[in-house]
Amino acid sequence: MPNTVLIGAQWGDEGKGKVVDVLARDADVVVRYQGGSNAGHTLEIGSERFVLHLVPSGVMYPEKLCIIGNGVVVDPLELKSEIEALMARGISLEGRFWVSDRAHAVLPYHRRQDTAREQRARPGQRLGTTQRGIGPAYADKAHRTGLRMGEFCRPGWEAKVQMRAEESGCADGAEMVATLREAAAFLAPFIADTTAQLHEEWRRGRTILFEGAQGTMLDVDHGTYPFVTSSNATAGGASTGTGLPPRAIERVVGVIKCYTTRVGEGPFPTELKDETGDLLRRRGREFGATTGRPRRCGWFDAVVARYAAAVNGVDYWALTKLDVLDECETIRVCVAYECDGRRLDRVPADAEALARCQPVYEEFPGWKMSTSGVRQYEDLPSAARAYVDALCRLTGVPLGLLSVGPDRASTFRLAI
């Protein structure tokens, strides 16, 4: 398998963890390159269900090297808990899991700042963040006042945390230090120069899978700003978030649902606030893996998909949750927008303009039969194949992988 970046092509929650789990079979190294514990990657393996927030999804394969890159912001308390939970279920990370010493830490006061910002936001200005402290941690990184994970391996980090907490208006900096001390000692053996490690793996010809979090439309530069996350969730973030050069990336796989969902605030042209939206939510189990919030559901948006394909240079789609549409009589696909009397074939940069966009739909017949037991593309109902083929045609990207259910066995590879 070529070195591959795996990105979300919508507003996140496309099923990236599941696809990473499938592609990781052929990779030697799996590396997360951006985001933080606001990610929620769900894996269903046999009768077991795992939800990962920071540890790369390739961890389920005992021989894989798993790395958290420098572009991720890491909550030490959450990472410690996640590692302990995996170990309790018999998954060992010793000698094969590393955290970049250049990755910035999410500290308790970052969470407070995140929550306070959401609470004081005026109506219409609330972003709907997970309140995990991700934005404030990235802000401190940009302000050059953040604490990096490597500092937990050296004396003096306690004084820095207490000073920054007090500068942020917290009176309990000493208590924060006490809370972090155990996590810092626990994580210290996992902290390393992962940039050097990744370059060595690349030099040896080992296959690297870059695991993205969130999605293209949440990218801080290319998403529906300001209703976005605080990092580059697009393919370009894989290089800056790991220290590997762009030429180390040989392929981009975009993960995309057969419909669309969104969590949090912001424009969503194809959103369905009716029984069909409820059907998609129920059948797709569309509740946030991180927050438990119900996701907003809507029809597939080919305008968004084409934009994501262009921004990321997507080579193949990994198309997920086709089975969710099994009960639909008619399925609609947004092929363009109508905005202020004009037809648009692209996503406007202005979120207010996008909020005024009305979808232009094409309709496709449903197949009204279960696809969850299908294991080969040729065995799908003809209407289901026609729908998938139409999505590829409308977006200009070939199909590489298709999923018709939540577990490993329900995902089959075609071209990747």
Side-chain angles (χ1 to χ4, degrees):
M1 186 178 82
N3 293 340
T4 300
V5 177
L6 188 121
I7 59 94
Q10 294 160 317
W11 278 277
D13 308 309
E14 300 94 350
K16 292 179 293 296
K18 172 189 179 61
V19 178
V20 168
D21 179 62
V22 171
L23 296 185
R25 297 174 194 168
D26 299 326
D28 300 303
V29 183
V30 183
V31 53
R32 266 281 304 273
Y33 62 85
Q34 48 76 222
S37 60
N38 54 342
H41 292 173
T42 303
L43 308 174
E44 295 196 21
I45 302 170
S47 60
E48 292 196 84
R49 186 172 187 265
F50 299 83
V51 179
L52 302 174
H53 299 286
L54 285 163
V55 177
S57 300
V59 72
M60 298 305 163
Y61 294 93
E63 72 280 10
K64 307 300 179 184
L65 180 63
C66 293
I67 288 175
I68 293 178
N70 59 275
V72 180
V73 288
V74 179
D75 186 321
L77 302 174
E78 289 211 32
L79 181 57
K80 175 177 178 290
S81 296
E82 192 166 311
I83 292 171
E84 289 176 331
L86 288 169
M87 293 170 63
R89 297 176 72 172
I91 299 171
S92 174
L93 280 71
E94 186 176 353
R96 68 184 188 96
F97 171 70
W98 306 100
V99 181
S100 173
D101 53 5
R102 293 176 171 88
H104 278 249
V106 179
L107 301 171
Y109 57 81
H110 290 134
R111 281 177 170 260
R112 294 184 187 180
Q113 291 171 338
D114 203 353
T115 299
R117 193 268 172 211
E118 284 290 279
Q119 289 177 344
R120 67 173 179 262
R122 297 175 181 175
Q125 294 183 336
R126 192 164 288 131
L127 301 178
T129 76
T130 60
Q131 299 183 34
R132 297 292 182 99
I134 307 304
Y138 275 116
D140 276 2
K141 177 179 179 178
H143 288 152
R144 293 157 293 181
T145 57
L147 185 83
R148 302 204 292 184
M149 293 299 291
E151 296 185 61
F152 286 120
C153 300
R154 300 190 293 273
W157 67 265
E158 296 95 337
K160 289 185 179 180
V161 170
Q162 185 163 346
M163 179 183 69
R164 286 293 297 119
E166 291 170 356
E167 289 174 352
S168 300
C170 300
D172 57 347
E175 293 178 25
M176 289 187 187
V177 168
T179 301
L180 288 164
R181 191 171 283 121
E182 183 180 353
F186 178 88
L187 294 175
F190 296 105
I191 297 171
D193 183 351
T194 60
T195 300
Q197 287 180 327
L198 286 166
H199 274 265
E200 176 61 18
E201 297 296 323
W202 182 41
R203 185 191 65 78
R204 293 173 57 199
R206 305 259 284 172
T207 299
I208 302 169
L209 178 59
F210 300 82
E211 178 180 353
Q214 289 85 47
T216 298
M217 302 309 293
L218 294 175
D219 184 280
V220 69
D221 286 301
H222 303 290
T224 49
Y225 189 89
F227 303 98
V228 293
T229 192
S230 303
S231 61
N232 286 117
T234 42
S239 181
T240 56
T242 61
L244 285 169
R247 63 191 177 94
I249 299 167
E250 298 168 309
R251 183 176 66 178
V252 179
V253 173
V255 187
I256 197 161
K257 281 177 184 168
C258 290
Y259 53 100
T260 312
T261 63
R262 173 163 201 167
V263 172
E265 305 298 324
F268 182 7
T270 66
E271 183 173 10
L272 296 168
K273 300 179 181 180
D274 57 13
E275 292 181 0
T276 303
D278 292 338
L279 173 70
L280 297 178
R281 187 176 302 107
R282 173 175 53 80
R283 285 187 53 81
R285 295 190 289 180
E286 296 295 355
F287 298 89
T290 299
T291 64
R293 290 180 294 180
R295 296 177 184 138
R296 300 156 65 189
C297 296
W299 294 121
F300 186 90
D301 190 330
V303 183
V304 163
R306 288 194 297 266
Y307 174 72
V311 169
N312 293 288
V314 175
D315 295 298
Y316 293 98
W317 288 135
L319 197 59
T320 65
K321 294 198 172 184
L322 180 66
D323 57 304
V324 174
L325 302 176
D326 286 350
E327 294 182 8
C328 295
E329 189 77 41
T330 301
I331 302 168
R332 307 179 87 185
V333 174
C334 173
V335 296
Y337 300 143
E338 290 283 352
C339 183
D340 301 333
R342 295 185 301 129
R343 182 183 173 107
L344 297 180
D345 295 314
R346 57 177 178 77
V347 179
D350 183 3
E352 293 183 7
L354 184 59
R356 296 195 303 274
C357 287
Q358 297 298 313
V360 177
Y361 285 119
E362 283 188 17
E363 292 189 349
F364 297 85
W367 41 94
K368 298 293 287 183
M369 60 185 295
S370 175
T371 59
S372 60
V374 174
R375 295 298 177 263
Q376 295 186 71
Y377 186 73
E378 295 76 17
D379 294 335
L380 287 170
S382 58
R385 292 198 307 272
Y387 177 69
V388 171
D389 290 346
L391 299 189
C392 294
R393 172 178 54 80
L394 289 167
T395 58
V397 177
L399 181 64
L401 178 150
L402 183 67
S403 174
V404 293
D407 57 25
R408 277 178 176 173
S410 62
T411 302
F412 42 95
R413 297 165 68 167
L414 288 88
I416 60 175

